[in-house]
Amino acid sequence: DTAVSQTPKYLVTQMGNDKSIKCEQNLGHDTMYWYKQDSKKFLKIMFSYNNKELIINETVPNRFSPKSPDKAHLNLHINSLELGDSAVYFCASSRAGTVLTDTQYFGPGTRLTVL
Amino acid sequence: QKEVEQNSGPLSVPEGAIASLNCTYSDRGSQSFFWYRQYSGKSPELIMSIYSNGDKEDGRFTAQLNKASQYVSLLIRDSQPSDSATYLCAVRGNYGQNFVFGPGTRLSVLP
């Protein structure tokens, strides 16, 4: 069983469209994250949710809106897609965001290409 | 601003040699440190975590932490071609703070 799963794996779309990426974890973790990895492979956190509550919201355009219907799911909706949004988006989860020894487990990633 | 720095590489070592990967961080309050391995087109996978000064060994991997120098390293003994990947250093501050990743070092182990 996949611990952290994301759909879709690949997403190709036109500029200006709205799209969503879904993430689910079956590890029983309380905290989930969205990361963006650009073409230079820099992995940067976008959002973090702990038990459905937003705890980290880095400087991300408000075209990006995370939604957590329950603690096992964290979806990412992107409005008005731009060329610069092209990247690989990783979902991750960890047991408890406030524990020192907390470690993250990553999903397989969603490669988004905006044309 | 918290920063994590790594040499981007590529770092090339012959098979069987020791690969040494280095990472420095700017936030003195950082508490936990992680090394991830990322194969091309794949997601990062955790190799080691370390929280106290000194060395921590796990199989062929040894993580070294020196908080005074704000330095963490990863040694890979008996390097194998299958170790060829990008190695990401991640640092976390106090409880509840986010993980900050370095840009990664690309390691190439030559047969």
Side-chain angles (χ1 to χ4, degrees), chain B residues 44-84:
Chain B
E45 55 177 326
L46 182 69
I47 301 175
M48 296 275 292
S49 57
I50 186 167
Y51 313 105
S52 306
N53 279 329
D55 295 0
K56 179 181 177 183
E57 189 174 316
D58 184 0
R60 295 187 296 114
F61 299 97
T62 299
Q64 299 174 317
L65 175 61
N66 184 327
K67 289 185 180 179
S69 301
Q70 295 174 241
Y71 175 92
V72 58
S73 65
L74 179 71
L75 300 178
I76 307 174
R77 289 182 299 282
D78 188 23
S79 296
Q80 302 296 309
S82 58
D83 294 326
S84 298

Side-chain angles (χ1 to χ4, degrees), chain A residues 33 35 37 40-43 45 56 58 90 96-104 106-108 111, chain B residues 4 31-32 34 36 38 41-44 46 49 51 88 92-93 95-99 101-103:
Chain A
Y33 311 80
Y35 285 88
Q37 189 171 45
K40 294 183 179 178
K41 305 300 183 186
F42 219 122
L43 195 62
I45 193 164
I56 292 172
E58 293 295 307
F90 286 103
T98 56
V99 173
L100 177 65
T101 57
D102 197 28
T103 56
Q104 296 184 26
F106 284 82
R111 182 174 292 277
Chain B
V4 178
Q31 297 287 331
S32 43
F34 307 86
Y36 285 82
Q38 187 175 23
K42 300 294 185 183
S43 58
L46 182 69
S49 57
Y51 313 105
L88 302 169
R92 194 178 194 209
Y95 302 104
Q97 292 186 356
N98 56 319
F99 295 76
F101 281 81

